[in-house]
Amino acid sequence: MNEATLTYYPSRDFKANARAALADSNLRQSFRGAMDFLMGKRAAQFPDAHELAELRKLGESIRQKSLARLPELLERLEAKLNENGVTVHWAETTEEANAIIHGLIAAKGGKLAVKGKSMVSEETELNHYLEARGVTAIESDMGEYIVQLAGEKPSHIIMPAIHKTRADIAKLFSEHIPDTPYTEDVDALIQIGRQALRQMYVTADVGVSGVNFAIAETGTLCLVENEGNGRMCTTVPDMHIAITGIEKVIEKLADVVPLYSLLTRSATGQPVTTYFNMISSPRREGEMDGPREVHLVLLDNGRSQAYSDEQLRKTLQCIRCGACMNHCPVYTRIGGHAYGTVYPGPIGQIISPHMLGLENTVDLPTASSLCGACGEVCPVKIPIPEMLMRLREESVRDPHEKVAHPLRGQGAGVDREVKLAWRLWSGVYSKPGAYRFFGWAATRLRGLTPRHQLGWTQNHVPMKPAPKTLHELMRERRKETAR
Amino acid sequence: MSARDTILGKLRAAPRSAPVEADVAAYYAGTEKLVGLTALKHWAALMRAVRTEVLWVRESDWPQTLAEEVATRGVRTLLLAPSTAHGARAAAALAELAEPPLRLGFDRPIDGWKATLFNTVDAAFTRVRAGIALTGSLIAWPGQDEPRTMSLVPPIHFALFDTRTLHPDFFSAMSTENWAAGMPTNALLISGPSKTSDIQQTVAYGAHGPRELVVLAVVPDDIDLADLEADA
């Protein structure tokens, strides 16, 4: 694998990516079908609107309660994990997180890491980092394994290979896995993947995983999964390294129950996943398996910026179910890769600006129809449309304006031409004399209206002033009435 | 300044949010609870919906049922815990088979025999701690006698479940058993054999863990087994 295939393309190319995706009818058809399927399954899991409303309210309050006490809970989590024998590491940046993980693997002389699904490790591009330092990192989630073989990135946070057909995967397996015949039988393909990955667990020095919930009360790391690969990665190798964002901590063990229910039902429309794995310590005296060392890496990577503003803090309530993507009319049409960011869709549009800065993500908050579907389905009630509006505002704020909580890349969307146009508009409309002259001149010189008017004429006919101003028309009408 | 101090410093410098009420106990106290036969039937229906085999058995005859299932599946090597009472009973019943499987105990650390465990063991037999009716789940707390990989690595997992330990929901299980007072190395909910839908949303079983989950659900004598299958 090479750098070009592993690195996300910059999200500032969003418009070009979106145009290319819209021109790909296979991709659109594939995403339409997949999203319809997921929306239907989710709806079937919540037949009782009252229950859903109450559960969402509870989920929201648990996440808000956790965030309100985030620094204290992180310290409590760390203390409890230490007490349980788990080592906690802190990283401000993706580079720091990768260096910590590589350092732990290198200290053991490790050469092979098996990875469970982790979007945070996608954020840090961990595989690439390790590969460059002589450590092979193998994705073990089937979807992640497929996109890794293809040299691609996930296009959905729950179903990474959702953009691929079974024929794509059949071809991929037959080309990349030795002695594998071409087959489009899904059961056969999964067994091929199982066999290819099973020996990795036996030989891997280290298992890497993400964390769905980290419980401060008991020092427990929770993993939600169907395949069992997460359990394999966290059980069979001698060392387990978990990586998570600092926002994933919750206060009490009992808090996990409604969040788990909301997550599985919202994500894939399942009442429950096959496995809910709760890890509280390394192998204890007398136990015959489990890792001898467990480490947790807590990553900031822009989350503290979102946290610093009370409105934007709600972004961190996310439990990564992906329901907002499944219901987003924009995501459904362009797919996940067009966003160019680790987290696509509505949640990506509001979290990515904190991770990458508005200068790299300036188009993302505008890639929404503001229909509100994302906010309506969010199981923890993140007001995503409000966040998008706020980020649009920040992107056109004067970069030099002093604000209480400046965002990285503030003012990245400022366009000098647009700014000049608004300044002229404001000048004309605030002075009656100038306004009257502008109206008179615009109507009389309407023949000179340009045929191309920036972005407007890409999809609309050119705007042209009327022959007379409204004031003139009203005056004429009054005169006629008076006669 | 360390990354830890910097991160915590930034978080502490942020404006404090107003306290939020989140009473999980009150929420679950207000939800309808599945009990008795209804709970058992609901539990079984959900487990069967994800291709789990649920076999209703009595305390006296589950070893025989286990032996029959092992024979039917042609299991040649089976992992169990002979030092436990249920493991010893299982081993004795299996020994009576015409072609008994090789019975292995997990009596040494995994490090020395990972490859053997992955490549030669066909099945494992473990006891589970309890069940959850609402979601169709089993609760496992692997430990010294029955380590974590027993319910994960072999292609077939036979689970012994005393249905008297069925809880209405996850919250009831956690609060009744007071989990917060002390969690094991690894606690686990299992709701079927390993599966994935990563290829074109098509469900396929046996992705990494067991392809088959067979539950020997021990039913108390006061419940008629025929009632459990009525209207199922």
Side-chain angles (χ1 to χ4, degrees), chain A residues 44-82:
Chain A
Q45 281 300 322
F46 293 111
D48 181 343
H50 177 72
E51 188 237 349
L52 172 60
E54 290 300 305
L55 197 54
R56 285 180 77 214
K57 205 189 298 174
L58 183 63
E60 178 193 29
S61 58
I62 290 169
R63 291 301 295 134
Q64 288 188 348
K65 174 187 75 165
S66 308
L67 291 172
R69 303 182 54 206
L70 185 58
E72 292 85 350
L73 291 184
L74 284 168
E75 284 188 303
R76 198 171 154 198
L77 173 72
E78 180 184 41
K80 195 68 196 176
L81 283 170
N82 286 339

Side-chain angles (χ1 to χ4, degrees), chain B residues 194-207:
Chain B
S194 156
K195 70 174 190 288
T196 183
S197 303
D198 270 338
I199 299 180
Q200 231 170 289
Q201 298 95 56
T202 307
V203 181
Y205 288 88

Side-chain angles (χ1 to χ4, degrees), chain A residues 23 26 86 95 106 149 193 264 291 342 371 383 411 423 448:
Chain A
N26 286 340
V86 177
E95 178 72 21
L149 282 184
T264 60
V342 175
C371 68
R423 191 170 287 167
L448 301 176

